[in-house]
Amino acid sequence: EPEVTQTPSHQVTQMGQEVILRCVPISNHLYFYWYRQILGQKVEFLVSFYNNEISEKSEIFDDQFSVERPDGSNFTLKIRSTKLEDSAMYFCASSPLGGTLTGELFFGEGSRLTVL
Amino acid sequence: SQQGEEDPQALSIQEGENATMNCSYKTSINNLQWYRQNSGRGLVHLILIRSNEREKHSGRLRVTLDTSKKSSSLLITASRAADTASYFCATDEQSARQLTFGSGTQLTVLP
């Protein structure tokens, strides 16, 4: 069964460093998402991506964040200068539907980011 | 309360019992979904109910939706220890293009 894969599973970084989290969405899906979950808290929307551009972003997704789909398969989340409060589990998701009607999202297993 | 708030926050039951979790939301929605998350893992889609549906079944899962009360419930019948997980409702708001997740219910099923 097709699945969303994320790498790395766990990354430890120093505050101020840049981090890139990678995702390979399901191949025939058109909509891609990043969510994050701080330990023990709710899953928060960061950004959605369609047709090679950001479709929607939350207040969390400020200038230190960026997303890219560099080669038609990978979908990356870059955090430019990490802060302690960026420590969280970051989930990538993809969906064949989106826009005005969001269907089932298929999530990866997540990348745990620890900022020291 | 925020969009997609579940209650209870935690629920502990014996194997074989039924588990009911509730979700309330605030805005108009296209659909409501329920997801499951095992500890430290990704979210897995369980069931989707559209705004014009009132009830939906999938195996041991039963979901209801009351758009007039802006609430939904997830019933897991004949629970098993393997059902132990966090359960989240997620709403697809009519004005947004993404899912908004609730705070989740931590279900523990004791063998």
Side-chain angles (χ1 to χ4, degrees):
Chain A
E1 188 173 326
E3 60 180 19
V4 175
T5 57
Q6 290 186 241
T7 55
S9 57
H10 188 193
Q11 179 151 0
V12 181
T13 189
Q14 295 290 325
M15 190 170 56
Q17 295 296 305
E18 176 181 285
V19 162
I20 297 177
L21 305 179
R22 292 182 169 81
C23 169
V24 179
I26 295 174
S27 62
N28 62 346
H29 286 185
L30 301 176
Y31 296 85
F32 314 114
Y33 305 83
W34 283 101
Y35 283 81
R36 80 171 186 190
Q37 184 179 34
I38 295 171
L39 185 64
Q41 298 186 25
K42 62 165 51 179
V43 177
E44 301 174 294
F45 169 74
L46 293 178
V47 65
S48 60
F49 193 86
Y50 169 69
N51 201 26
N52 286 319
E53 60 182 24
I54 290 174
S55 179
E56 194 166 347
K57 60 183 181 180
S58 71
E59 292 177 353
I60 303 169
F61 194 87
D62 61 22
D63 291 344
Q64 69 164 328
F65 291 93
S66 62
V67 289
E68 210 175 33
R69 193 150 191 253
D71 57 13
S73 61
N74 291 287
F75 179 49
T76 62
L77 174 69
K78 181 190 290 186
I79 309 174
R80 249 178 288 282
S81 177
T82 51
K83 306 170 189 169
L84 294 177
E85 54 265 36
D86 294 329
S87 294
M89 183 75 95
Y90 288 81
F91 291 104
C92 173
S94 69
S95 172
L97 298 175
T100 57
L101 184 64
T102 304
E104 173 185 352
L105 296 191
F106 294 77
F107 281 84
E109 289 291 331
S111 293
R112 179 171 298 284
L113 176 64
T114 302
V115 182
L116 303 176
Chain B
S1 61
Q2 298 178 23
Q3 183 81 348
E5 290 295 312
E6 289 94 331
D7 79 88
Q9 290 186 335
L11 178 62
S12 184
I13 59 173
Q14 294 291 329
E15 206 165 26
E17 293 180 339
N18 296 341
T20 300
M21 289 159 269
N22 302 296
C23 168
S24 61
Y25 58 92
K26 298 180 83 174
T27 64
S28 296
I29 61 171
N30 293 313
N31 64 59
L32 185 143
Q33 304 179 37
W34 285 89
Y35 286 79
R36 166 194 168 125
Q37 184 184 36
N38 287 358
S39 181
R41 305 292 299 276
L43 292 96
V44 175
H45 179 264
L46 294 175
I47 195 165
L48 180 153
I49 186 165
R50 304 206 182 280
S51 60
N52 61 354
E53 297 176 310
R54 292 296 165 258
E55 186 171 314
K56 202 162 183 180
H57 297 253
S58 177
R60 293 184 296 114
L61 305 180
R62 173 177 167 253
V63 170
T64 62
L65 179 64
D66 187 335
T67 53
S68 66
K69 295 181 179 177
K70 292 187 167 57
S71 67
S72 173
S73 67
L74 171 67
L75 168 68
I76 304 174
T77 60
S79 63
R80 305 165 182 168
D83 294 330
T84 295
S86 291
Y87 292 82
F88 295 89
C89 70
T91 51
D92 172 12
E93 300 171 39
Q94 289 180 353
S95 61
R97 297 183 177 186
Q98 35 89 2
L99 290 184
T100 302
F101 284 82
S103 49
T105 293
Q106 171 62 51
L107 173 67
T108 303
V109 182
L110 303 169

